[in-house]
Amino acid sequence: MKYCFFSFLMLLGIATITAQSNSPFGVWKSIDDKTGEAKSHVEVYQKNGKMYGKIIKILTDKPNAKCDECKGEKKGQPVNGMVIIEGMQEVEGTWKNGTILDPQNGNVYGCVVWVEADKPNELKVRGKHWTGIYRTQTWFRVK
């Protein structure tokens, strides 16, 4: 009986670690899907049950870039510290129904985010235009 209890606790611990390693939350290195260049570190976090992502470090030669092409309150604001992923809701392990901002061109796209079960250190980030055209980037977990 005692061994069953300890085995159960070990399995519960392993399951918890596995679930956490497949979590989309944490810091990710964003990679430009066109150039393969590392662009920034994005902190992905949960607030009021929704997912958000904020640029916390710029990795290019423009660390003081401003979002000149953005509209509204983000226009002219520093890209570093800017929330670019907003309002994502979890639906069966995938986060969707939110938006992602491309600070280079100021465009806002529909967004889907997920972590594949066999690749816990890769975050798939898909921006989708209203026409149905989309681009998917793979971001890498920063340890």
Side-chain angles (χ1 to χ4, degrees), residues 43-57:
E43 179 184 16
V44 177
Y45 59 95
Q46 192 170 13
K47 180 179 169 185
N48 299 325
K50 295 188 178 186
M51 174 194 284
Y52 295 85
K54 174 173 63 172
I55 296 175
I56 59 170
K57 183 176 183 182

Side-chain angles (χ1 to χ4, degrees), residues 15-80:
T16 301
I17 290 168
T18 302
Q20 288 175 344
S21 66
N22 285 341
S23 169
F25 303 113
V27 178
W28 299 89
K29 183 187 330 178
S30 68
I31 306 293
D32 187 305
D33 56 305
K34 291 180 180 175
T35 66
E37 184 179 309
K39 302 205 54 149
S40 64
H41 285 177
V42 178
E43 179 184 16
V44 177
Y45 59 95
Q46 192 170 13
K47 180 179 169 185
N48 299 325
K50 295 188 178 186
M51 174 194 284
Y52 295 85
K54 174 173 63 172
I55 296 175
I56 59 170
K57 183 176 183 182
I58 295 177
L59 303 174
T60 67
D61 60 353
K62 298 178 183 169
N64 299 317
K66 297 200 183 303
C67 196
D68 295 326
E69 302 298 321
C70 287
K71 293 155 185 68
E73 63 186 36
K74 292 184 179 180
K75 182 168 183 64
Q77 296 300 311
V79 173
N80 196 21

Side-chain angles (χ1 to χ4, degrees), residues 53-119:
K54 174 173 63 172
I55 296 175
I56 59 170
K57 183 176 183 182
I58 295 177
L59 303 174
T60 67
D61 60 353
K62 298 178 183 169
N64 299 317
K66 297 200 183 303
C67 196
D68 295 326
E69 302 298 321
C70 287
K71 293 155 185 68
E73 63 186 36
K74 292 184 179 180
K75 182 168 183 64
Q77 296 300 311
V79 173
N80 196 21
M82 183 172 284
V83 176
I84 60 167
I85 297 174
E86 297 187 68
M88 306 290 289
Q89 301 171 339
E90 185 178 16
V91 179
E92 298 175 2
T94 300
W95 292 82
K96 51 176 84 174
N97 303 323
T99 60
I100 187 165
L101 165 70
D102 183 341
Q104 282 190 309
N105 60 26
N107 290 335
V108 177
Y109 303 96
C111 189
V112 178
V113 174
W114 70 96
V115 176
E116 294 177 354
D118 60 337
K119 297 180 181 175

Side-chain angles (χ1 to χ4, degrees), residues 4-22:
C4 288
F5 180 71
F6 287 120
S7 295
F8 172 75
L9 285 178
M10 286 181 60
L11 286 173
L12 185 62
I14 290 169
T16 301
I17 290 168
T18 302
Q20 288 175 344
S21 66
N22 285 341

